[in-house]
Amino acid sequence: MPEVLSAPLVVEFPFTRSLGPVQSAFLTGLRERTVLGVRTGDGKVLVPPVEYDPVTAEEIRDLVEVAATGTVTTWAWNPDPRRDQPLDTPFAWVLVRLDGADTALLHVLDAPGPEVVRTGMRVRVRWAADRTGAITDIACFEPYEGDADGSRPAPHSGEFTDPVTTIVTPARLDYTYTPGRAQTAYINALAERRTVGERCPSCRKVYVPPRGACPTCGVATAEPVEVGPRGTVTTYCVVNIKAAHTANLGIEVPYVYAHIALDGADLALHGRIGGIPYDQVRMGLRVEPVWTEGGRYPDHYRPTGEPDADYDTYKELL
Ligand SMILES: [Zn+2]
């Protein structure tokens, strides 16, 4: 059996959100080295603040300033920091109840090792040198020798010059993908510009791409079956939103993305349709793959010029 493939994959996008009055004040406050919380109807101080009372759902806007010192309420040691985590040396994830607050804030504690971290330990904010109005304006917490002074948090207007009103949060998921035996064979065949599925020994359906088992019969599939290269458009959509990813930047909108049933396959796969105006693509259109130099899968599919397929030949494949 050939070696099963494995590859690093990354899903990444920037998430832009508007803040509203409470989060705007909180994050702008961090930029100005001021930690703000919000007081609920029953007098509790929530840090980080929220816009609505978690108990009564009432809108709350009563901002107060709490201390930059606090107490660890619970923690977990992270021996192996990952990319873009707040510290690049081992650290503790901590929930910190800042002095004056009734709830705890999730952040990190810079500590030499887990043996010095304990619930109840006193900590203080270490401010980032460059602050932009983000939770990372708190670079981390650090151990602090000193008790809370017990004073009540002071009311705060929440007003600052040049308030932060939106933030961009990068979302990123990187992982190692292993496609398994069936898809490894499929991908290796694609490298030779052949499309190979697998037939179910029970219902005889040919799955492309193969997943290694028939989802209907629940049995393993093993018999390789070469399908295509030609196929039929079973259904499609017109894409009007330009892709943000560099790999797809060259594709002009609108374009058509289709389900294509390759000849001999009992499952449609996905592909982009080119070589024909987008508004002339139709169900039943006969297409063939177009490969680019060095490509490991078809760049797109184009019309073959054959007459359209009869609906009856692909109606089970929609
Ligand atoms: Zn089956």
Side-chain angles (χ1 to χ4, degrees), residues 200-205 207 214-219 221:
C200 172
S202 176
C203 67
R204 309 299 293 164
K205 274 188 176 170
Y207 289 97
C214 175
T216 307
C217 307
V219 297
T221 57

